[in-house]
Amino acid sequence: MDEAQGKATAGLILQGLRKRFGELEVLKGVSLEVHRGEFFTLLGPSGCGKTTLLRLIGGFEVPDEGRILLGGRDLTGLPAHLRPVNTVFQNYALFPHLTVYENVAFGLRSRRFPEAEVRAKVEYALGLLHLESLVHRYPHQLSGGQKQRVALARALVNEPEVLLLDEPLSALDAKLRAEVQVELRNLQRRLQATFILVTHDQEEAMAVSDRIGVMEAGRLLQVGTPEEVYERPRTRFVAEFLGVANLIPARRVGEGVETPFGFFPLQVPWEEGTLALRPERVELHKEPVPETFRARVREVVYRGAYLEVFLDPPLRARTALRVVPGEEVHVRLSLGGLVVLHE
């Protein structure tokens, strides 16, 4: 591949981005590569720096250090309106005095596209988001889900190389949010565009993403597919933020580790540390089976598809086995599910 082809296929590259607001360092040297045509999610709690990172990519803030490259071009010093990037904000930011059609057409008209081209592009975007029947409505006449689709259409009509999504589904109720997540993922696949989503919702990140970047306190802790970050978390924070995790203290003994639940043949790189195990990797049995230990059921929570079971000694399990508080069960931990955490 020659240099010109390499630049054409290059994705978004962030190099050592740092950002301070007064004495507070919000981003602490974040580096990342988002592949072209990828649905990438920045996931983390409030205040971790994910929205600031999105604003740097969009050109709404300027980094104190580092560079932002897109398709081989350096965007670091470019203002927002000159970047091939569009943002869908949490509050939709629709113009209340304009119809759905006029909202979607606004950006194209401000860039002085011929009216015939505006009409063609707007109609295409409205069709993508199933908004054809709403073209004459105003924002106050739309539901939350409809407003969200209008905001997406308005961003997509400009054909950005990168679409930034700043917690766009947070105002929707649970059922509608799940529906729009599916629509969003299908839309990204049809367009084969680069989407970057910011969210604090772990289930949302898992549902839509090709890869997830988990952030905490201004740092990018781990990047991987949803399966990788869930099944193989690197740190205690990632293990706990991506769902429920049993954290098991362990110390190395010979060819394995000693834990409060017994000895396991597991190679670890430390003398003493912590293992993580997801609740669904904790097996419960009514009768003794090999490699089990006894535990007592402390609490049972019905979750529909499974029971969440709290045990003594302290462990959480997800199971279809019907158990009741006070019952004694036999527990087996899946060795393949034990993950060494790097604190």
PDB file of all heavy atoms in Angstrom, residues 176-200:
ATOM      1  N   LEU A 176     -37.688   2.285  24.700  1.00  0.00           N
ATOM      2  CA  LEU A 176     -37.356   3.056  23.504  1.00  0.00           C
ATOM      3  C   LEU A 176     -35.846   3.092  23.293  1.00  0.00           C
ATOM      4  O   LEU A 176     -35.353   3.014  22.157  1.00  0.00           O
ATOM      5  CB  LEU A 176     -37.914   4.475  23.626  1.00  0.00           C
ATOM      6  CG  LEU A 176     -37.742   5.380  22.402  1.00  0.00           C
ATOM      7  CD1 LEU A 176     -38.353   4.732  21.164  1.00  0.00           C
ATOM      8  CD2 LEU A 176     -38.362   6.736  22.659  1.00  0.00           C
ATOM      9  N   ARG A 177     -35.094   3.190  24.385  1.00  0.00           N
ATOM     10  CA  ARG A 177     -33.636   3.207  24.279  1.00  0.00           C
ATOM     11  C   ARG A 177     -33.138   1.927  23.615  1.00  0.00           C
ATOM     12  O   ARG A 177     -32.279   1.977  22.727  1.00  0.00           O
ATOM     13  CB  ARG A 177     -33.004   3.360  25.662  1.00  0.00           C
ATOM     14  CG  ARG A 177     -31.498   3.232  25.654  1.00  0.00           C
ATOM     15  CD  ARG A 177     -30.920   3.322  27.050  1.00  0.00           C
ATOM     16  NE  ARG A 177     -30.802   4.707  27.469  1.00  0.00           N
ATOM     17  CZ  ARG A 177     -29.951   5.130  28.399  1.00  0.00           C
ATOM     18  NH1 ARG A 177     -29.178   4.272  29.019  1.00  0.00           N
ATOM     19  NH2 ARG A 177     -29.888   6.389  28.717  1.00  0.00           N
ATOM     20  N   ALA A 178     -33.689   0.777  24.020  1.00  0.00           N
ATOM     21  CA  ALA A 178     -33.276  -0.499  23.428  1.00  0.00           C
ATOM     22  C   ALA A 178     -33.595  -0.536  21.933  1.00  0.00           C
ATOM     23  O   ALA A 178     -32.792  -1.029  21.130  1.00  0.00           O
ATOM     24  CB  ALA A 178     -33.963  -1.652  24.151  1.00  0.00           C
ATOM     25  N   GLU A 179     -34.745   0.013  21.544  1.00  0.00           N
ATOM     26  CA  GLU A 179     -35.133   0.034  20.135  1.00  0.00           C
ATOM     27  C   GLU A 179     -34.201   0.927  19.325  1.00  0.00           C
ATOM     28  O   GLU A 179     -33.759   0.560  18.229  1.00  0.00           O
ATOM     29  CB  GLU A 179     -36.572   0.513  19.994  1.00  0.00           C
ATOM     30  CG  GLU A 179     -37.605  -0.464  20.544  1.00  0.00           C
ATOM     31  CD  GLU A 179     -39.010   0.119  20.554  1.00  0.00           C
ATOM     32  OE1 GLU A 179     -39.168   1.292  20.144  1.00  0.00           O
ATOM     33  OE2 GLU A 179     -39.943  -0.590  20.967  1.00  0.00           O
ATOM     34  N   VAL A 180     -33.886   2.117  19.859  1.00  0.00           N
ATOM     35  CA  VAL A 180     -33.025   3.056  19.127  1.00  0.00           C
ATOM     36  C   VAL A 180     -31.592   2.526  19.051  1.00  0.00           C
ATOM     37  O   VAL A 180     -30.886   2.760  18.066  1.00  0.00           O
ATOM     38  CB  VAL A 180     -33.075   4.458  19.768  1.00  0.00           C
ATOM     39  CG1 VAL A 180     -32.139   5.426  19.040  1.00  0.00           C
ATOM     40  CG2 VAL A 180     -34.500   5.006  19.733  1.00  0.00           C
ATOM     41  N   GLN A 181     -31.147   1.791  20.071  1.00  0.00           N
ATOM     42  CA  GLN A 181     -29.815   1.169  20.016  1.00  0.00           C
ATOM     43  C   GLN A 181     -29.700   0.257  18.802  1.00  0.00           C
ATOM     44  O   GLN A 181     -28.702   0.292  18.071  1.00  0.00           O
ATOM     45  CB  GLN A 181     -29.550   0.360  21.288  1.00  0.00           C
ATOM     46  CG  GLN A 181     -29.233   1.191  22.510  1.00  0.00           C
ATOM     47  CD  GLN A 181     -29.218   0.350  23.768  1.00  0.00           C
ATOM     48  OE1 GLN A 181     -29.364  -0.864  23.734  1.00  0.00           O
ATOM     49  NE2 GLN A 181     -29.057   1.005  24.910  1.00  0.00           N
ATOM     50  N   VAL A 182     -30.730  -0.566  18.582  1.00  0.00           N
ATOM     51  CA  VAL A 182     -30.727  -1.476  17.437  1.00  0.00           C
ATOM     52  C   VAL A 182     -30.727  -0.681  16.138  1.00  0.00           C
ATOM     53  O   VAL A 182     -29.987  -0.984  15.191  1.00  0.00           O
ATOM     54  CB  VAL A 182     -31.938  -2.434  17.496  1.00  0.00           C
ATOM     55  CG1 VAL A 182     -32.027  -3.273  16.222  1.00  0.00           C
ATOM     56  CG2 VAL A 182     -31.832  -3.340  18.714  1.00  0.00           C
ATOM     57  N   GLU A 183     -31.567   0.369  16.063  1.00  0.00           N
ATOM     58  CA  GLU A 183     -31.619   1.216  14.870  1.00  0.00           C
ATOM     59  C   GLU A 183     -30.264   1.860  14.600  1.00  0.00           C
ATOM     60  O   GLU A 183     -29.803   1.922  13.457  1.00  0.00           O
ATOM     61  CB  GLU A 183     -32.670   2.313  15.046  1.00  0.00           C
ATOM     62  CG  GLU A 183     -34.101   1.826  14.958  1.00  0.00           C
ATOM     63  CD  GLU A 183     -35.088   2.973  15.048  1.00  0.00           C
ATOM     64  OE1 GLU A 183     -34.664   4.141  14.933  1.00  0.00           O
ATOM     65  OE2 GLU A 183     -36.275   2.713  15.247  1.00  0.00           O
ATOM     66  N   LEU A 184     -29.631   2.340  15.658  1.00  0.00           N
ATOM     67  CA  LEU A 184     -28.347   3.023  15.528  1.00  0.00           C
ATOM     68  C   LEU A 184     -27.280   2.074  15.001  1.00  0.00           C
ATOM     69  O   LEU A 184     -26.505   2.416  14.103  1.00  0.00           O
ATOM     70  CB  LEU A 184     -27.941   3.576  16.899  1.00  0.00           C
ATOM     71  CG  LEU A 184     -26.851   4.635  16.969  1.00  0.00           C
ATOM     72  CD1 LEU A 184     -27.250   5.855  16.165  1.00  0.00           C
ATOM     73  CD2 LEU A 184     -26.602   5.018  18.419  1.00  0.00           C
ATOM     74  N   ARG A 185     -27.254   0.869  15.538  1.00  0.00           N
ATOM     75  CA  ARG A 185     -26.266  -0.121  15.105  1.00  0.00           C
ATOM     76  C   ARG A 185     -26.508  -0.519  13.654  1.00  0.00           C
ATOM     77  O   ARG A 185     -25.566  -0.599  12.856  1.00  0.00           O
ATOM     78  CB  ARG A 185     -26.356  -1.352  16.024  1.00  0.00           C
ATOM     79  CG  ARG A 185     -25.317  -2.432  15.732  1.00  0.00           C
ATOM     80  CD  ARG A 185     -23.934  -1.853  15.838  1.00  0.00           C
ATOM     81  NE  ARG A 185     -22.928  -2.905  15.790  1.00  0.00           N
ATOM     82  CZ  ARG A 185     -21.759  -2.774  15.213  1.00  0.00           C
ATOM     83  NH1 ARG A 185     -21.449  -1.645  14.602  1.00  0.00           N
ATOM     84  NH2 ARG A 185     -20.878  -3.743  15.238  1.00  0.00           N
ATOM     85  N   ASN A 186     -27.762  -0.747  13.290  1.00  0.00           N
ATOM     86  CA  ASN A 186     -28.077  -1.103  11.906  1.00  0.00           C
ATOM     87  C   ASN A 186     -27.736   0.022  10.946  1.00  0.00           C
ATOM     88  O   ASN A 186     -27.234  -0.211   9.838  1.00  0.00           O
ATOM     89  CB  ASN A 186     -29.562  -1.471  11.776  1.00  0.00           C
ATOM     90  CG  ASN A 186     -29.888  -2.796  12.443  1.00  0.00           C
ATOM     91  OD1 ASN A 186     -29.006  -3.627  12.659  1.00  0.00           O
ATOM     92  ND2 ASN A 186     -31.148  -3.004  12.783  1.00  0.00           N
ATOM     93  N   LEU A 187     -28.001   1.253  11.360  1.00  0.00           N
ATOM     94  CA  LEU A 187     -27.698   2.422  10.536  1.00  0.00           C
ATOM     95  C   LEU A 187     -26.196   2.517  10.276  1.00  0.00           C
ATOM     96  O   LEU A 187     -25.756   2.737   9.141  1.00  0.00           O
ATOM     97  CB  LEU A 187     -28.200   3.682  11.241  1.00  0.00           C
ATOM     98  CG  LEU A 187     -27.925   5.015  10.555  1.00  0.00           C
ATOM     99  CD1 LEU A 187     -28.684   5.084   9.236  1.00  0.00           C
ATOM    100  CD2 LEU A 187     -28.328   6.175  11.460  1.00  0.00           C
ATOM    101  N   GLN A 188     -25.404   2.343  11.333  1.00  0.00           N
ATOM    102  CA  GLN A 188     -23.944   2.427  11.183  1.00  0.00           C
ATOM    103  C   GLN A 188     -23.436   1.350  10.232  1.00  0.00           C
ATOM    104  O   GLN A 188     -22.550   1.595   9.397  1.00  0.00           O
ATOM    105  CB  GLN A 188     -23.286   2.304  12.560  1.00  0.00           C
ATOM    106  CG  GLN A 188     -21.785   2.527  12.560  1.00  0.00           C
ATOM    107  CD  GLN A 188     -20.984   1.260  12.370  1.00  0.00           C
ATOM    108  OE1 GLN A 188     -21.480   0.165  12.634  1.00  0.00           O
ATOM    109  NE2 GLN A 188     -19.763   1.391  11.914  1.00  0.00           N
ATOM    110  N   ARG A 189     -23.995   0.165  10.329  1.00  0.00           N
ATOM    111  CA  ARG A 189     -23.559  -0.923   9.444  1.00  0.00           C
ATOM    112  C   ARG A 189     -23.929  -0.637   7.990  1.00  0.00           C
ATOM    113  O   ARG A 189     -23.153  -0.927   7.079  1.00  0.00           O
ATOM    114  CB  ARG A 189     -24.186  -2.245   9.898  1.00  0.00           C
ATOM    115  CG  ARG A 189     -23.508  -2.824  11.145  1.00  0.00           C
ATOM    116  CD  ARG A 189     -24.224  -4.053  11.639  1.00  0.00           C
ATOM    117  NE  ARG A 189     -23.499  -4.690  12.726  1.00  0.00           N
ATOM    118  CZ  ARG A 189     -24.033  -5.511  13.607  1.00  0.00           C
ATOM    119  NH1 ARG A 189     -25.324  -5.786  13.553  1.00  0.00           N
ATOM    120  NH2 ARG A 189     -23.303  -6.060  14.559  1.00  0.00           N
ATOM    121  N   ARG A 190     -25.137  -0.083   7.775  1.00  0.00           N
ATOM    122  CA  ARG A 190     -25.542   0.234   6.398  1.00  0.00           C
ATOM    123  C   ARG A 190     -24.646   1.304   5.789  1.00  0.00           C
ATOM    124  O   ARG A 190     -24.251   1.217   4.635  1.00  0.00           O
ATOM    125  CB  ARG A 190     -27.006   0.716   6.372  1.00  0.00           C
ATOM    126  CG  ARG A 190     -28.025  -0.374   6.593  1.00  0.00           C
ATOM    127  CD  ARG A 190     -29.370  -0.015   5.989  1.00  0.00           C
ATOM    128  NE  ARG A 190     -29.898   1.256   6.425  1.00  0.00           N
ATOM    129  CZ  ARG A 190     -30.595   1.445   7.551  1.00  0.00           C
ATOM    130  NH1 ARG A 190     -30.838   0.417   8.343  1.00  0.00           N
ATOM    131  NH2 ARG A 190     -31.058   2.634   7.870  1.00  0.00           N
ATOM    132  N   LEU A 191     -24.312   2.326   6.583  1.00  0.00           N
ATOM    133  CA  LEU A 191     -23.518   3.442   6.078  1.00  0.00           C
ATOM    134  C   LEU A 191     -22.023   3.118   6.047  1.00  0.00           C
ATOM    135  O   LEU A 191     -21.263   3.775   5.339  1.00  0.00           O
ATOM    136  CB  LEU A 191     -23.735   4.680   6.956  1.00  0.00           C
ATOM    137  CG  LEU A 191     -25.138   5.267   6.970  1.00  0.00           C
ATOM    138  CD1 LEU A 191     -25.231   6.381   7.989  1.00  0.00           C
ATOM    139  CD2 LEU A 191     -25.516   5.782   5.586  1.00  0.00           C
ATOM    140  N   GLN A 192     -21.609   2.126   6.863  1.00  0.00           N
ATOM    141  CA  GLN A 192     -20.186   1.798   7.028  1.00  0.00           C
ATOM    142  C   GLN A 192     -19.385   3.044   7.399  1.00  0.00           C
ATOM    143  O   GLN A 192     -18.276   3.263   6.918  1.00  0.00           O
ATOM    144  CB  GLN A 192     -19.633   1.144   5.760  1.00  0.00           C
ATOM    145  CG  GLN A 192     -20.288  -0.202   5.439  1.00  0.00           C
ATOM    146  CD  GLN A 192     -19.648  -0.920   4.281  1.00  0.00           C
ATOM    147  OE1 GLN A 192     -19.211  -0.293   3.322  1.00  0.00           O
ATOM    148  NE2 GLN A 192     -19.584  -2.230   4.363  1.00  0.00           N
ATOM    149  N   ALA A 193     -19.990   3.874   8.253  1.00  0.00           N
ATOM    150  CA  ALA A 193     -19.362   5.110   8.709  1.00  0.00           C
ATOM    151  C   ALA A 193     -18.707   4.878  10.066  1.00  0.00           C
ATOM    152  O   ALA A 193     -18.956   3.879  10.736  1.00  0.00           O
ATOM    153  CB  ALA A 193     -20.422   6.213   8.823  1.00  0.00           C
ATOM    154  N   THR A 194     -17.861   5.810  10.459  1.00  0.00           N
ATOM    155  CA  THR A 194     -17.206   5.742  11.764  1.00  0.00           C
ATOM    156  C   THR A 194     -18.082   6.459  12.783  1.00  0.00           C
ATOM    157  O   THR A 194     -18.337   7.659  12.654  1.00  0.00           O
ATOM    158  CB  THR A 194     -15.817   6.408  11.717  1.00  0.00           C
ATOM    159  OG1 THR A 194     -15.040   5.791  10.694  1.00  0.00           O
ATOM    160  CG2 THR A 194     -15.105   6.266  13.057  1.00  0.00           C
ATOM    161  N   PHE A 195     -18.561   5.720  13.785  1.00  0.00           N
ATOM    162  CA  PHE A 195     -19.361   6.276  14.870  1.00  0.00           C
ATOM    163  C   PHE A 195     -18.540   6.193  16.156  1.00  0.00           C
ATOM    164  O   PHE A 195     -17.940   5.150  16.437  1.00  0.00           O
ATOM    165  CB  PHE A 195     -20.654   5.489  15.087  1.00  0.00           C
ATOM    166  CG  PHE A 195     -21.765   5.777  14.103  1.00  0.00           C
ATOM    167  CD1 PHE A 195     -21.500   6.295  12.856  1.00  0.00           C
ATOM    168  CD2 PHE A 195     -23.092   5.511  14.439  1.00  0.00           C
ATOM    169  CE1 PHE A 195     -22.518   6.545  11.948  1.00  0.00           C
ATOM    170  CE2 PHE A 195     -24.119   5.755  13.548  1.00  0.00           C
ATOM    171  CZ  PHE A 195     -23.840   6.272  12.297  1.00  0.00           C
ATOM    172  N   ILE A 196     -18.536   7.273  16.929  1.00  0.00           N
ATOM    173  CA  ILE A 196     -17.904   7.255  18.247  1.00  0.00           C
ATOM    174  C   ILE A 196     -18.950   7.704  19.260  1.00  0.00           C
ATOM    175  O   ILE A 196     -19.421   8.840  19.224  1.00  0.00           O
ATOM    176  CB  ILE A 196     -16.669   8.166  18.315  1.00  0.00           C
ATOM    177  CG1 ILE A 196     -15.636   7.737  17.264  1.00  0.00           C
ATOM    178  CG2 ILE A 196     -16.046   8.119  19.714  1.00  0.00           C
ATOM    179  CD1 ILE A 196     -14.406   8.614  17.229  1.00  0.00           C
ATOM    180  N   LEU A 197     -19.304   6.790  20.146  1.00  0.00           N
ATOM    181  CA  LEU A 197     -20.346   7.021  21.143  1.00  0.00           C
ATOM    182  C   LEU A 197     -19.726   7.223  22.512  1.00  0.00           C
ATOM    183  O   LEU A 197     -18.793   6.511  22.894  1.00  0.00           O
ATOM    184  CB  LEU A 197     -21.285   5.807  21.185  1.00  0.00           C
ATOM    185  CG  LEU A 197     -22.309   5.732  22.324  1.00  0.00           C
ATOM    186  CD1 LEU A 197     -23.393   6.788  22.144  1.00  0.00           C
ATOM    187  CD2 LEU A 197     -22.923   4.335  22.397  1.00  0.00           C
ATOM    188  N   VAL A 198     -20.245   8.192  23.253  1.00  0.00           N
ATOM    189  CA  VAL A 198     -19.891   8.376  24.665  1.00  0.00           C
ATOM    190  C   VAL A 198     -21.089   7.954  25.503  1.00  0.00           C
ATOM    191  O   VAL A 198     -22.217   8.392  25.249  1.00  0.00           O
ATOM    192  CB  VAL A 198     -19.545   9.846  24.954  1.00  0.00           C
ATOM    193  CG1 VAL A 198     -19.741  10.181  26.419  1.00  0.00           C
ATOM    194  CG2 VAL A 198     -18.105  10.147  24.575  1.00  0.00           C
ATOM    195  N   THR A 199     -20.860   7.076  26.472  1.00  0.00           N
ATOM    196  CA  THR A 199     -21.940   6.653  27.359  1.00  0.00           C
ATOM    197  C   THR A 199     -21.379   6.174  28.688  1.00  0.00           C
ATOM    198  O   THR A 199     -20.202   5.821  28.785  1.00  0.00           O
ATOM    199  CB  THR A 199     -22.781   5.526  26.710  1.00  0.00           C
ATOM    200  OG1 THR A 199     -23.892   5.215  27.544  1.00  0.00           O
ATOM    201  CG2 THR A 199     -21.957   4.261  26.512  1.00  0.00           C
ATOM    202  N   HIS A 200     -22.239   6.193  29.711  1.00  0.00           N
ATOM    203  CA  HIS A 200     -21.883   5.579  30.997  1.00  0.00           C
ATOM    204  C   HIS A 200     -22.661   4.284  31.183  1.00  0.00           C
ATOM    205  O   HIS A 200     -22.531   3.620  32.211  1.00  0.00           O
ATOM    206  CB  HIS A 200     -22.205   6.546  32.153  1.00  0.00           C
ATOM    207  CG  HIS A 200     -23.675   6.848  32.260  1.00  0.00           C
ATOM    208  ND1 HIS A 200     -24.274   7.851  31.538  1.00  0.00           N
ATOM    209  CD2 HIS A 200     -24.661   6.265  32.976  1.00  0.00           C
ATOM    210  CE1 HIS A 200     -25.570   7.871  31.812  1.00  0.00           C
ATOM    211  NE2 HIS A 200     -25.834   6.916  32.687  1.00  0.00           N
TER     212      HIS A 200
END
